[in-house]
Amino acid sequence: DARVTQTPRHKVTEMGQEVTMRCQPILGHNTVFWYRQTMMQGLELLAYFRNRAPLDDSGMPKDRFSAEMPDATLATLKIQPSEPRDSAVYFCASGHTGQGRVDTQYFGPGTRLTVL
Amino acid sequence: GNSVTQMEGPVTLSEEAFLTINCTYTATGYPSLFWYVQYPGEGLQLLLKATKADDKGSNKGFEATYRKETTSFHLEKGSVQVSDSAVYFCANAGGTSYGKLTFGQGTILTVHP
């Protein structure tokens, strides 16, 4: 069973520290999504890539967040510096998309981030 | 723009009760519609989907019909089980979104024995 993997599963850090989250999408999927889930805001789309190119990162605070896909098997989400309000569960999802086609998004297990 | 309005929870039912979770949407064009389920401590997983008007998605006893005239995609199950306890999300992939999903707020379902 192909799955999206995310590391680390849990991260506790102190305010001001850099945090890097990693995602390995399902092989063959051309689109990768980053979401953030909190009780207050629900599920928010932060950014997404197709064929490794960023398509939309309007949901991301630009001053501290950055997302990249160094290669087709790795997506990263970085927060620098981290703040307590960044505490959330961060999900990566992958799927196959194109104009007029929307396939299922497959979610990873998430990274639970706590910033003290 | 795209939006999803989902029935507010939480919903608490006894085992074997009938379930309905309401979902309505707005979108540009003709979106695909999805229901995702999230079990405790896990990521979201697809429950069912429908890609055009009058399509019915079904899986694990759950069903939802794409109603273009009422812009709705309500989730139903005839007899819920304790194992159905989870958070359910309705989602909309708008016609011009190129794969981007807009999610509802989620509905917490708890089923008691």
Side-chain angles (χ1 to χ4, degrees), chain B residues 47-85:
Chain B
L47 181 59
L48 54 83
K49 68 180 181 182
T51 57
K52 60 183 187 296
D54 300 323
D55 266 2
K56 178 186 284 188
S58 62
N59 185 26
K60 300 181 182 179
F62 291 88
E63 293 183 341
T65 301
Y66 189 139
R67 301 283 187 204
K68 186 180 167 196
E69 64 276 10
T70 55
T71 61
S72 65
F73 193 54
H74 305 321
L75 182 68
E76 297 182 336
K77 186 174 185 182
S79 176
V80 294
Q81 305 301 311
V82 172
S83 57
D84 294 327
S85 299

Side-chain angles (χ1 to χ4, degrees), chain A residues 37 48 50 99 104-105 107, chain B residues 36 38 44 46 97-99:
Chain A
Q37 186 177 39
Y48 71 113
R50 182 178 296 136
Q99 189 165 355
T104 301
Q105 289 186 24
F107 281 73
Chain B
Y36 279 81
Q38 185 179 29
L44 280 71
L46 178 72
S97 66
Y98 298 103

Side-chain angles (χ1 to χ4, degrees), chain A residues 13-80:
Chain A
T13 191
E14 295 194 344
M15 183 172 63
Q17 296 299 303
E18 178 178 299
V19 174
T20 298
M21 291 169 269
R22 293 177 175 79
C23 166
Q24 182 172 7
I26 292 173
L27 192 65
H29 284 177
N30 68 346
T31 308
V32 174
F33 304 82
W34 281 106
Y35 293 91
R36 175 170 63 184
Q37 186 177 39
T38 62
M39 289 295 292
M40 294 301 294
Q41 300 297 326
L43 203 60
E44 304 172 276
L45 178 66
L46 297 176
Y48 71 113
F49 296 76
R50 182 178 296 136
N51 298 323
R52 297 176 54 202
L55 276 190
D56 184 351
D57 61 0
S58 59
M60 216 162 59
K62 301 290 191 304
D63 56 338
R64 298 183 301 108
F65 284 60
S66 61
E68 295 179 345
M69 277 201 77
D71 62 60
T73 64
L74 177 65
T76 62
L77 180 66
K78 189 175 296 186
I79 308 174
Q80 167 63 22

